[in-house]
């Protein structure tokens, strides 16, 4: 084993970036390889919602608790890379209104700060909101910008000695006996293939985790689940506007900079590359968004995006109901190859927590004991990535 | 419903001669040019290098030239190009890393020089409508902090590519960097901080190098108006000089 041990992280999305930061901060030697641009996979095409957990507090309490804990940490470590304007859950009909009790109870149980706002006040703060709303509850939702989110983690990792190689694609894994001992990469800049040795490889490729797992002859139950989001050319809300009910398609409008993003749908796909954008899904988004903010109807569609989320599959469960929690798979312990760990599931909001968990597993496998310090370490400016 | 489109993409690597490659792709009606580039990569050539992340004009990574004009391909509908051939080239005035990827490191170092913070602290308007804000509301139920927002500039580099001064003087601070100085200036009342910012802009490669071609403002996809910022900075610098000269 090299000293300090060398860990290769495959994938520079939110999980890979946060893991690079975590392990570099623990003093390990870290190399990140990413086949394209930072955040060019699932993280990039993101709703940009810094979850309070409100969205999951009734049906997926584990996911909701992770969200609120990480939300409060990210506010401390990357305050300049966030819009922190809170969120409103609004009731549009009697059914939503009846859901409010469960919603408030869920928030309380998951320790999500929530308070009811009189409808009149909600409409003063959000003048474009549907004036027929029956109730509004404020929660600490926020907004991040996905590329800068990842780049902030990577810039800090780099400052702590990590090497970040984008446009460097894994073509195979290198084995020593039955254990993974490195990777073979193709560097798109130079056109050269090379091998890089590692004491541990972390598969942080999200929706693409199955492809790397296959190279290691192991299985991961990742179910690429696509979603469509539609961006409107004007910003129509300050706070994140959620519909107060069990998560459905098109029940949330996230404001980012000078736009509002309506999301999102959910369907299973076989390949996560270049997902088609079905027109009926776009129409569905627009219609559902209009119910929350009627001015969306007159708004100009500015962008449409589709991408696959790396949810952890469960048998006999609909894609919408897969948990939003995450899991680290130590393949050696499951009878597969040693030297490789897969981290998947989760969401960008919980990336730091996912990184902590997988870094703990990596350190345990390497037989080293260093505490995670990412909860309290402020990140440097994303621009330092280019210094 | 789908659109057939032919992309003509400028390919290059440090170790290769430049050439144009042609890709025929089929995309949905709602697709933007970035989706078409991604289809070309996914189905025709996995060695095609391009930058992209958010697909909604927020990250600024995907900027290229489409038919000679600087654009964010993530918000450039394919249908606007009417079924013809779409020529895609990397931004000008940046070193090329490969294909459509340019080296943005010097650009980001300039952006950092003014400590440009990408969020602005307070907002009191929403698409022209005043927000009630927290004033007059029950403090118990009002939001706890003033609304903040990301700056309009997404640091895409489009203004640098469109700028004729940039191609004449590679040391030119660039429209985005100067606009960032102006935004920081607007955010502070601290005299020392203001002096430092104006000093940064007051340079032969700073505001005085601009030829007032206004191409930056014309090309900017985010209504940042860099040219207007450059003119405003000149005015402030002159005012400061005047004050100093007459010891006002």
């Amino acid at each position: 084993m090299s000293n300090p041990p060398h860990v290769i992280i495959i994938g520079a999305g939110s999980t890979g970036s946060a893991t690079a930061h975590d392990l570099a901060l623990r003093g390990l030697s870290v190399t990140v390889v990413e086949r394209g641009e930072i955040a060019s996979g699932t993280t990039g095409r993101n709703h940009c919602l810094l979850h309070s957990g409100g969205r999951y507090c009734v049906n997926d309490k584990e996911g909701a608790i992770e969200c609120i804990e990480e939300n409060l940490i990210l506010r401390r470590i990357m305050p300049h890379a966030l819009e922190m304007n809170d969120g409103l859950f609004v009731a549009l009909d009697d059914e939503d209104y009846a859901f409010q009790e469960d919603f408030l109870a869920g928030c309380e149980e998951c320790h999500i700060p929530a308070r009811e706002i009189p409808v009149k006040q909600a409409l003063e703060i959000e003048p474009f909101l549907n004036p027929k709303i029956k109730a509004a509850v404020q929660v600490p939702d926020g907004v991040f910008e996905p590329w800068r989110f990842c780049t902030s983690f990577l810039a800090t990792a780099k400052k702590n000695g990590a090497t970040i190689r984008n446009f460097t694609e894994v073509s195979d894994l290198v084995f020593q006996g039955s254990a993974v001992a490195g990777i073979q990469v193709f560097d798109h800049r130079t056109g050269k293939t090379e091998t890089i040795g590692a004491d541990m490889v972390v598969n942080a490729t999200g929706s693409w985790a199955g492809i790397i797992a296959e190279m290691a002859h192991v299985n991961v139950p990742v179910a690429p689940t696509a979603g469509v989001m539609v961006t409107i050319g004007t910003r129509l809300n300050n706070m994140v506007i959620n519909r107060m009910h069990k998560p459905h398609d098109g029940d949330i409008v996230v404001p980012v900079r000078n736009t509002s993003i309506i999301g999102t749908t959910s369907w299973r796909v076989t390949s996560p590359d270049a997902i088609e954008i079905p027109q009926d899904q776009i129409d569905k988004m627009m219609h559902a968004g209009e119910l929350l903010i009627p001015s969306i109807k007159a708004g100009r569609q500015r962008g449409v995006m589709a991408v696959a989320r790396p949810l952890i599959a469960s048998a006999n469960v609909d894609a919408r109901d897969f948990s939003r929690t995450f899991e680290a798979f130590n393949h050696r312990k499951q009878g597969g190859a040693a030297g490789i760990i897969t981290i998947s599931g989760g969401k960008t909001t919980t990336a730091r927590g996912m990184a902590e968990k997988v870094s703990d597993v990596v350190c345990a496998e390497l037989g080293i004991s260093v505490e995670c310090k990412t909860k309290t370490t402020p990140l440097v400016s994303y621009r330092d990535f280019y210094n | 419903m789908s659109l057939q489109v032919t992309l003509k993409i400028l390919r290059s690597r440090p170790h290769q001669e430049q050439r144009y490659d042609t890709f025929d792709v089929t995309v949905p009606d709602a697709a933007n040019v970035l989706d078409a580039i991604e289809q070309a990569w996914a189905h025709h050539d996995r060695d095609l290098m391009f930058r992209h992340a958010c697909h909604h004009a927020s990250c600024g990574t995907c900027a290229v030239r489409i038919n000679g004009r600087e654009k964010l391909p993530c918000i450039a509908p394919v249908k606007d190009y009417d079924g013809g051939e779409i020529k895609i080239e990397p931004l000008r005035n940046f070193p090329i890393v490969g294909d459509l990827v340019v080296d943005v490191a010097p650009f980001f170092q300039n952006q950092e020089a003014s400590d440009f913070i990408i969020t602005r602290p307070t907002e009191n308007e929403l698409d022209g409508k005043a927000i009630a804000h927290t004033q007059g509301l029950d403090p118990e139920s009002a939001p706890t902090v003033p609304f903040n927002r990301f700056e309009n500039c997404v640091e895409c580099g489009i203004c640098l590519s469109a700028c004729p001064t940039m191609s004449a003087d590679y040391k030119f601070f660039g429209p985005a960097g100067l606009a960032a100085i102006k935004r920081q200036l607007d955010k502070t009342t601290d005299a020392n901080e203001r002096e430092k910012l104006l000093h940064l802009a007051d340079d032969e490669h700073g505001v005085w190098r601009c030829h007032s071609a206004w191409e930056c403002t014309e090309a900017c996809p985010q209504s940042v108006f860099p040219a207007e910022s450059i003119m405003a900075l000149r005015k402030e610098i002159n005012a400061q000089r005047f004050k100093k000269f007459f010891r006002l």
Side-chain angles (χ1 to χ4, degrees):
Chain A
M1 201 189 300
S2 41
N3 186 24
H6 181 221
V7 180
I8 290 175
I9 296 161
I10 309 174
S14 54
T15 314
S17 301
T19 306
H21 165 56
D22 192 314
L23 290 172
L25 200 59
R26 294 191 205 211
L28 277 74
S29 165
V30 173
T31 302
V32 179
V33 292
E34 160 59 53
R35 69 176 183 177
E37 173 62 34
I38 295 161
S40 53
T42 305
T43 302
R45 270 163 272 189
N46 199 302
H47 214 152
C48 306
L49 172 64
L50 179 69
H51 281 268
S52 62
R55 199 166 162 77
Y56 306 120
C57 70
V58 174
N59 292 312
D60 180 6
K61 293 200 164 58
E62 191 187 356
I65 291 167
E66 282 165 6
C67 285
I68 186 62
E69 286 177 358
E70 293 303 322
N71 175 310
L72 297 175
I73 292 168
L74 291 171
R75 284 165 191 261
R76 290 199 300 270
I77 65 171
M78 55 161 71
H80 293 311
L82 303 173
E83 284 187 11
M84 295 181 280
N85 297 328
D86 294 345
L88 282 183
F89 277 77
V90 298
L92 288 182
D93 56 26
D94 292 339
E95 208 180 309
D96 294 356
Y97 192 66
F99 185 75
Q100 182 171 333
E101 200 178 319
D102 287 348
F103 178 75
L104 288 171
C107 284
E108 196 177 342
E109 201 179 324
C110 300
H111 305 289
I112 301 164
R115 56 182 168 188
E116 278 186 78
I117 294 190
V119 167
K120 186 172 167 279
Q121 290 189 351
L123 293 171
E124 280 171 20
I125 300 166
E126 296 292 352
F128 291 97
L129 195 57
N130 186 338
K132 292 182 187 139
I133 60 163
K134 291 171 183 293
V137 176
Q138 182 193 356
V139 293
D141 282 339
V143 173
F144 56 81
E145 202 277 294
W147 180 79
R148 286 169 179 81
F149 182 100
C150 296
T151 314
S152 300
F153 278 112
L154 291 172
T156 315
K158 212 174 152 184
K159 196 184 121 223
N160 292 316
T163 302
I164 322 291
R165 295 181 58 173
N166 49 9
F167 297 101
T168 302
E169 187 161 7
V170 174
S171 45
D172 209 347
L173 298 176
V174 176
F175 290 85
Q176 212 163 50
S178 62
V180 174
I183 57 174
Q184 185 189 70
V185 291
F186 179 74
D187 187 329
H188 287 279
R189 297 158 203 260
T190 59
K192 287 184 183 144
T193 299
E194 55 191 293
T195 54
I196 312 172
D199 298 302
M200 185 63 67
V201 172
V202 177
N203 175 15
T205 55
S207 293
W208 292 265
I211 299 168
I212 301 294
E214 205 172 293
M215 293 177 187
H217 318 297
V218 294
N219 243 324
V220 285
V222 171
T225 308
V228 161
M229 282 155 263
V230 181
T231 310
I232 302 300
T234 33
R235 181 170 175 138
L236 295 167
N237 42 327
N238 284 298
M239 301 161 96
V240 177
I241 305 294
N242 303 265
R243 189 157 175 189
M244 191 154 45
H245 62 190
K246 197 179 152 219
H248 278 298
D249 291 346
D251 59 355
I252 175 165
V253 183
V254 182
V256 190
R257 194 178 273 109
N258 48 5
T259 58
S260 300
I261 309 174
I262 317 166
T264 163
T265 53
S266 201
W267 78 96
R268 285 286 292 271
V269 290
T270 45
S271 164
D273 284 329
I275 289 164
E276 297 275 332
I277 304 166
Q279 186 62 43
D280 61 327
Q281 302 264 351
I282 298 171
D283 297 342
K284 203 162 144 187
M285 286 296 92
M286 291 296 286
H287 178 72
E290 281 162 36
L291 292 177
L292 291 167
I293 300 176
S295 297
I296 281 175
K297 197 180 174 69
R300 182 175 52 87
Q301 266 183 39
R302 191 169 194 225
V304 187
M305 49 180 165
V307 77
R309 313 174 188 86
L311 303 187
I312 308 284
S314 320
N316 307 321
V317 174
D318 183 64
R320 167 66 75 201
D321 296 325
F322 287 160
S323 170
R324 263 42 179 182
T325 189
F326 56 85
E327 225 167 303
F329 300 94
N330 185 346
H331 300 295
R332 182 183 65 78
K333 287 199 170 163
Q334 295 168 343
I340 182 165
I341 315 275
T342 297
I343 173 83
S344 200
K347 44 216 313 82
T348 303
T349 299
T350 60
R352 192 220 57 89
M354 294 171 73
E356 178 175 349
K357 185 166 173 183
V358 73
S359 299
D360 284 347
V361 176
V362 167
C363 288
E365 280 295 283
L366 294 169
I368 48 178
S369 163
V370 201
E371 219 174 291
C372 171
K373 287 175 285 198
T374 59
K375 273 185 189 169
T376 50
T377 306
L379 302 181
V380 303
S381 160
Y382 61 93
R383 291 192 201 104
D384 287 349
F385 181 76
Y386 294 103
N387 262 336
Chain B
M1 298 285 270
S2 56
L3 301 164
Q4 307 273 340
V5 61
T6 302
L7 301 181
K8 190 176 167 187
I9 300 180
L10 184 62
R11 308 295 301 275
S12 68
R13 290 290 194 283
H15 56 283
Q16 278 174 1
E17 276 201 30
Q18 287 197 345
R19 64 171 197 273
Y20 285 94
D21 276 354
T22 303
F23 302 97
D24 292 317
V25 294
T26 305
V27 293
D29 279 351
N32 287 295
V33 173
L34 182 57
D35 301 308
I37 298 172
E38 199 176 27
Q39 292 287 338
W41 165 83
H43 302 303
H44 297 289
D45 187 350
R46 289 289 178 127
D47 195 29
L48 175 63
M49 288 176 70
F50 64 109
R51 298 179 71 219
H52 66 125
C54 79
H55 289 234
H56 65 267
S58 192
C59 70
T61 62
C62 69
V64 289
R65 280 181 298 147
I66 303 177
N67 292 347
R69 292 290 191 134
E70 283 78 10
K71 296 273 180 200
L72 290 176
C74 62
I75 51 167
V78 170
K79 61 176 183 306
D80 287 0
Y81 295 90
D82 212 17
E85 193 177 74
I86 304 176
K87 189 161 85 174
I88 300 164
E89 298 161 302
L91 293 182
R92 290 178 294 196
N93 306 328
F94 287 88
I96 293 178
V97 174
D99 298 339
L100 303 174
V101 178
V102 295
D103 182 5
V104 290
F107 167 70
F108 274 106
Q109 285 157 13
N110 269 2
Q111 292 293 102
E112 188 67 17
S114 57
D115 291 326
F116 178 49
I117 293 177
I118 52 153
T119 47
R120 47 187 145 148
T122 52
E123 275 301 323
N124 53 19
E125 197 179 85
L126 194 62
D127 197 33
K129 278 195 193 183
I131 304 158
H133 238 314
T134 53
Q135 277 177 353
L137 294 184
D138 170 10
E140 278 298 303
S141 58
T144 46
V145 287
F147 293 119
N148 75 332
R149 188 164 302 181
F150 288 123
E151 287 283 357
N152 279 353
C153 180
V154 295
E155 303 177 306
C156 61
I158 276 180
C159 55
L160 274 75
S161 178
C163 172
T165 305
M166 207 72 222
S167 54
D169 173 14
Y170 75 97
K171 284 188 179 168
F172 179 45
F173 208 78
L178 293 169
I181 293 175
K182 177 68 171 72
R183 288 297 299 151
Q184 283 306 98
L185 201 64
D186 291 345
K187 288 180 199 174
T188 181
T189 50
D190 181 275
N192 286 337
E193 181 64 16
R194 290 180 63 83
E195 172 130 13
K196 202 185 97 192
L197 288 164
L198 287 175
H199 183 71
L200 193 61
D202 184 9
D203 187 274
E204 61 173 313
H205 303 291
V207 286
W208 308 112
R209 195 71 175 84
C210 167
H211 292 165
S212 315
W214 296 70
E215 296 286 348
C216 52
T217 289
E218 178 71 24
C220 177
Q222 282 290 111
S223 309
V224 173
F225 306 112
E228 285 81 344
S229 288
I230 293 170
M231 300 310 141
L233 282 172
R234 283 180 178 176
K235 222 168 147 179
E236 294 224 28
I237 291 166
N238 278 335
Q240 194 195 37
R241 282 180 181 171
F242 184 84
K243 272 189 199 164
K244 273 190 181 160
F245 187 79
F246 292 104
R247 305 213 173 127
L248 292 172

